[in-house]
Amino acid sequence: MIVVMKQGATQEQIDHMIQRVEQFGLRSHVIYGETRTVIAAIGEKRDEHRNSLESGPGVAEVVPILAPYKVASREVKPDPTTVRAGSLAVGDSYLGMIAGPCSVESEEQTVSAAKAVKAAGATGLRGGAFKPRTSPYSFQGMKEDGLKILATARQETGLAVVTEVVADTDVDLVARYADVLQIGARNMQNYRLLEAVGKQGTPVLLKRGASATMDELLLAAEYILNAGNPNVMLCERGIRTFESHVRFTLNLTSVPYLHDRTHLPVVIDPSHGTGHTNLVTRMAAAAVAAGADGLIVEVHPDPETAQSDGYQSLTFDQFDELMQLCNKVADAVGKKIVPNKE
Amino acid sequence: MIVVMKQGATQEQIDHMIQRVEQFGLRSHVIYGETRTVIAAIGEKRDEHRNSLESGPGVAEVVPILAPYKVASREVKPDPTTVRAGSLAVGDSYLGMIAGPCSVESEEQTVSAAKAVKAAGATGLRGGAFKPRTSPYSFQGMKEDGLKILATARQETGLAVVTEVVADTDVDLVARYADVLQIGARNMQNYRLLEAVGKQGTPVLLKRGASATMDELLLAAEYILNAGNPNVMLCERGIRTFESHVRFTLNLTSVPYLHDRTHLPVVIDPSHGTGHTNLVTRMAAAAVAAGADGLIVEVHPDPETAQSDGYQSLTFDQFDELMQLCNKVADAVGKKIVPNKE
Amino acid sequence: MIVVMKQGATQEQIDHMIQRVEQFGLRSHVIYGETRTVIAAIGEKRDEHRNSLESGPGVAEVVPILAPYKVASREVKPDPTTVRAGSLAVGDSYLGMIAGPCSVESEEQTVSAAKAVKAAGATGLRGGAFKPRTSPYSFQGMKEDGLKILATARQETGLAVVTEVVADTDVDLVARYADVLQIGARNMQNYRLLEAVGKQGTPVLLKRGASATMDELLLAAEYILNAGNPNVMLCERGIRTFESHVRFTLNLTSVPYLHDRTHLPVVIDPSHGTGHTNLVTRMAAAAVAAGADGLIVEVHPDPETAQSDGYQSLTFDQFDELMQLCNKVADAVGKKIVPNKE
Amino acid sequence: MIVVMKQGATQEQIDHMIQRVEQFGLRSHVIYGETRTVIAAIGEKRDEHRNSLESGPGVAEVVPILAPYKVASREVKPDPTTVRAGSLAVGDSYLGMIAGPCSVESEEQTVSAAKAVKAAGATGLRGGAFKPRTSPYSFQGMKEDGLKILATARQETGLAVVTEVVADTDVDLVARYADVLQIGARNMQNYRLLEAVGKQGTPVLLKRGASATMDELLLAAEYILNAGNPNVMLCERGIRTFESHVRFTLNLTSVPYLHDRTHLPVVIDPSHGTGHTNLVTRMAAAAVAAGADGLIVEVHPDPETAQSDGYQSLTFDQFDELMQLCNKVADAVGKKIVPNKE
């Protein structure tokens, strides 16, 4: 890291900071510029001790040089990771297509959705049994009954099940039914939960928090990787900005950016990422063109009566159109939507 | 709520939506404007079913009229709530002053900080034993050993202890030592945790998530209130914006806004809210002038060597100056910084 | 619009607001709900008088129903507009490809870039002669000499010239050389300039301000349309958000959203929209998949020595790759990159 | 500045970058770290050439060390600047209180407002004659007739007139009537206008753009200072964020931050900064406590009938309360609201 001293910092202050840097076990290297002095600290570790250097006398700011994550980094593992879970393959040349209802509401609703998305070409099934809801007065999910319905839907269609887990104490239960454990955006920095999914083997879909930076997302992944689970998929689902014509602002630039920094695959959620049915299909196609390794899309037999997220769910016909468009774009950019052949 | 139809919506679509509204047990009232038709739905409940109406045929948008929270609302309880916990009183005319280190690092560090902030006039002690950290490689807190140190500091100074709880399974443990349970910004929408602190009696300091709206904050409080705990303090600690010269953007407008909408007291965190030591004191004074019911401030015997947040921690002398300025401003706006006399 | 009264508003307040609404020449329609009363104002005009209603006694808020723009609206003109300017066609099935240097620096630099982008398949040439720069110490452009070089480049390649105009008093001068007048993001709400380009016939590329809402963008277009110039292209170039790994956050959702609301074509700027060379090509492809009607891309013979924006400029080879990828994606989504045949 | 090379950058790439740095007339200093090499460039100038270094082979990023502004910097002029204009003094220990209607609508409206705010203790009069409006269908101001009314109000009350200028070609006209030229938020980066107000002597109130960074604001001031006008006041009026319960997010942290970086005085606009009448007074008091050098507040004889901004304007009585509260807080923090004694 680089410790930038204020203009007019005294030699005593500079000497003090050199000493501080060396107390952290780093080598220091001082550069006297025309108006400011900077101290380069060599041997930087990935911790936050550096932050306290900012409190030092005469210090203007501290600039990190190394990325704060390690195992997630492309510098450590240059080859892209492909995550496989049942029928699903996500990463490298594989484009995983996960679709299904926001919430599991009934066996009929979920199984019919599973069959429809399978027929259209999806390779994974999404569906929420434990639902984190903004209001305590909203439908909170069918819980274990919902998980059983998802297992039935898998049996009927062969689709891998992707479903959310919201508490570390639920991980074992959910992992008994799920092929992929989803960590929702609100829980991206629930470190107890991250550690819990890291300690078991089921693949994880980690959603970006609505105001998380890329470094924070990769550090959340690092919690899981560091706990022993290498099967992590990152999911961009839109960020909170001043824009009010969309529920969230979907920054597809995350795809090439993350591909540059990490070997982990990147999935896009155009349903939450836009929040409006009429915007989903085009953004799904755009995500594929941007190089996404997977999509996760909300599909409901009758969006108008959905218990949650009806405003952003596709009908079966709309999802069929989405798949046709995405297949063409996938061809154009050299990605394959095929079930995992394990 | 108001269902706004698209220009050119057919009578059939309008009739369908009237029927949908009535299926929710609401009365409908149709208004034919010059270019658009709107359907007012009377008897609106506080749930999210309305959202799925947006998927209806010919619907442009759905506009809610009622606030989504209820128990937290000033319409339900017009008088301001004062939360009392040991030495601390927060709300109405009382200005609670909570100060102490970011992390509990040792008994000496914590007790000396407690004594110093008490001497300067603080009425509560902050200190983290369970630390949610962005990086898995950062110091994660002293856990129960830290709680014991906080209890010692309380014994030595009489200051009420405010400390964070990060998981529902830790609530009982932390509540044995703490006078106030803090829910951190990252956990504002950890509903399992909100329910757990709601089911017990210790007062709660609920921090706003870095990208939470006011409605989301109040709905998070509603989870706690709804579970049976009426002693909730809201805490504004800055939001994530494009501004990079501060760690977070501290919107003090939250104070008068929340006072208008809710009876719950509002605490300001100028340490996280700015992220830089040299900005803390002035923003503390501004918070008091804005009408805040409390402040929570990071103070450390030696910020330069702090395990966390040194860059935003005050020295004892700096905190003393802060208290002097805040006392003057409190006088000017009619607030009192006094220990709870229970 | 809908005037929502506060809970507990008196009948006198309600009567006052009914009277106010009728003073604006609107019909009022009162709906008494269970906890609140709302007044629908029928015959709403597109002005901001409504805002002052919010100051009325007992008023909680005022909700507009109509979009504030008119001539730009798809409700007024359902068919998509194709803007044609020299070699360039943008809109409907035409995908205009505009490329070239950020700044005109010399004849050699500009003409070589024009030839290279033409060879790769571009249908328009960009290049700045008047440069609005954040710092007064930065290169401010070659001004009229730059315009002359652009005219030479057009002569050599046949490419339509797109160049920025920064002041109303320059419009005539720039229009003598340019095929398309670009309004930069910083000037999106420079109304004097918008009126000036609206009063003449040269097509306009209107860039979205970095924090402009969609309504504000469309109202800026409305200034131009209203002044008599129907040839307006909207350009999304990224918004300012908390994200710091990109210079701006490029929300491609603007493409399907705007296509839904307006007949005007939508151009994407993946260079400013990302701010990093290595992200441009993928986001260009994504923009085409999202349905964009045009792209505007920075290309420089030697980005490392560019006077401005080198960090986001492509080399000739990189642009060639971009064109190959975009051509494939355009085929997949049914768009054509062809020179205007007028 | 610091050129950070990618991990694995070759010696050839490093040598190339050293050469590039030296071509800019800078001295280079290379530091070989454990995983990365950085090149310190000594003698950095305040221009943007550095940006193009990011395009160099093997370069990860370029980190500036110097602030990009110079004349505005506190390092160049350590003493705070006091701007004086007629009755108004802003800066150092002086708190200027500017109040009046958003738009000049009539002589009666403006003169009565001027008298009321004078009586309450204001030291400057605001009022818009040239109004930049989001919609072309909104009231655009009375133009020169409005300026004449402002001059009359000054004659009647002795208050200095602060009014907006929206185009470089209007500067002479507006300066004939105004004591302070206001540059609105939308025009903060209208460089032609900045240069025009910089070339004449009337003091300038420069409003921060809704998404401008602090550096961009200070560089905009630098345009004016650099053109020869030293009398610049900066004005924070709220930024655009995801918050929708306020029109803009008013970050009062700008006050101590700017006081640390620049000698220029800082004025706060709590009217635009909140957008709601009921939030203005408290935020005005908070601004004073934060150390603001001035306030600019919208006051209207009858906000409900105002042509613009009625929803955020105070009545005369409300402004009187604001002044009483601000006077007390000003006393507490050592600021004086007194007319300029020149």
Side-chain angles (χ1 to χ4, degrees), chain C residues 232-247:
Chain C
V232 178
M233 296 170 266
L234 305 173
C235 179
E236 170 64 81
R237 44 74 78 201
I239 57 170
R240 200 149 247 182
T241 72
F242 68 86
E243 295 198 316
S244 57
H245 66 290
V246 278
R247 274 191 172 71

Side-chain angles (χ1 to χ4, degrees), chain C:
Chain C
M1 70 198 137
I2 307 287
V3 178
V4 182
M5 303 301 291
K6 287 184 184 162
Q7 191 170 338
T10 63
Q11 188 59 44
E12 192 184 10
Q13 290 173 330
I14 294 166
D15 289 343
H16 175 85
M17 292 314 298
I18 290 170
Q19 201 183 346
R20 294 284 303 143
V21 162
E22 294 178 353
Q23 281 169 3
F24 286 121
L26 308 175
R27 277 187 300 127
S28 67
H29 190 115
V30 187
I31 303 161
Y32 294 94
E34 294 186 0
T35 54
R36 285 177 184 253
T37 299
V38 305
I39 304 167
I42 303 164
E44 181 176 3
K45 293 191 207 76
R46 281 171 175 91
D47 62 32
E48 294 185 4
H49 283 270
R50 63 167 188 85
N51 283 332
S52 48
L53 292 177
E54 278 194 24
S55 312
V59 175
E61 60 174 331
V62 174
V63 181
I65 298 300
L66 289 191
Y69 46 86
K70 192 165 59 183
V71 193
S73 166
R74 194 129 206 167
E75 293 182 348
V76 166
K77 175 176 182 299
D79 292 331
T81 292
T82 302
V83 174
R84 294 166 186 280
S87 61
L88 194 61
V90 175
D92 206 356
S93 63
Y94 293 98
L95 177 62
M97 293 298 283
I98 306 161
C102 175
S103 298
V104 174
E105 297 166 11
S106 71
E107 185 173 317
E108 194 193 333
Q109 168 247 22
T110 301
V111 171
S112 71
K115 286 179 176 168
V117 303
K118 171 85 184 286
T123 58
L125 172 68
R126 63 151 292 149
F130 290 88
K131 298 297 305 172
R133 301 304 298 275
T134 304
S135 166
Y137 310 124
S138 296
F139 174 64
Q140 308 272 328
M142 293 181 71
K143 307 199 168 68
E144 188 166 2
D145 287 345
L147 295 175
K148 287 176 182 165
I149 290 173
L150 287 166
T152 303
R154 173 175 46 206
Q155 218 163 7
E156 300 265 336
T157 60
L159 291 177
V161 164
V162 180
T163 196
E164 183 163 356
V165 57
V166 299
D168 57 326
T169 43
D170 292 349
V171 169
D172 286 345
L173 171 69
V174 180
R176 278 206 294 280
Y177 296 94
D179 299 290
V180 175
L181 297 176
Q182 178 182 313
I183 304 290
R186 293 175 180 89
N187 277 317
M188 192 201 85
Q189 294 189 312
N190 182 338
Y191 302 117
R192 205 65 72 86
L193 178 56
L194 297 180
E195 285 166 352
V197 298
K199 281 180 192 144
Q200 50 85 59
T202 310
V204 176
L205 182 79
L206 174 65
K207 289 196 151 188
R208 180 185 185 185
S211 62
T213 63
M214 288 285 115
D215 276 6
E216 287 169 348
L217 172 60
L218 288 166
L219 282 167
E222 192 93 356
Y223 264 94
I224 304 171
L225 298 168
N226 196 44
N229 187 341
N231 293 306
V232 178
M233 296 170 266
L234 305 173
C235 179
E236 170 64 81
R237 44 74 78 201
I239 57 170
R240 200 149 247 182
T241 72
F242 68 86
E243 295 198 316
S244 57
H245 66 290
V246 278
R247 274 191 172 71
F248 293 94
T249 292
L250 183 58
N251 186 2
L252 294 179
T253 313
S254 302
V255 179
Y257 177 84
L258 285 168
H259 281 168
D260 195 48
R261 302 301 165 109
T262 182
H263 51 88
L264 300 173
V266 182
V267 173
I268 295 292
D269 177 346
S271 304
H272 289 87
T274 63
H276 296 286
T277 300
N278 64 321
L279 303 172
V280 171
T281 298
R282 274 301 184 170
M283 291 311 283
V288 175
D293 302 302
L295 293 180
I296 178 163
V297 179
E298 292 189 346
V299 177
H300 194 281
D302 183 16
E304 213 187 332
T305 63
Q307 294 270 18
S308 59
D309 286 7
Y311 47 84
Q312 67 193 24
S313 294
L314 302 185
T315 61
F316 296 165
D317 284 352
Q318 288 168 331
F319 182 67
D320 201 58
E321 280 169 46
L322 179 150
M323 284 300 296
Q324 289 178 35
L325 188 64
C326 286
N327 265 305
K328 282 192 239 169
V329 176
D331 275 352
V333 301
K335 282 272 190 180
K336 294 171 288 200
I337 307 174
V338 288
N340 180 19
K341 299 295 185 198
E342 278 183 310

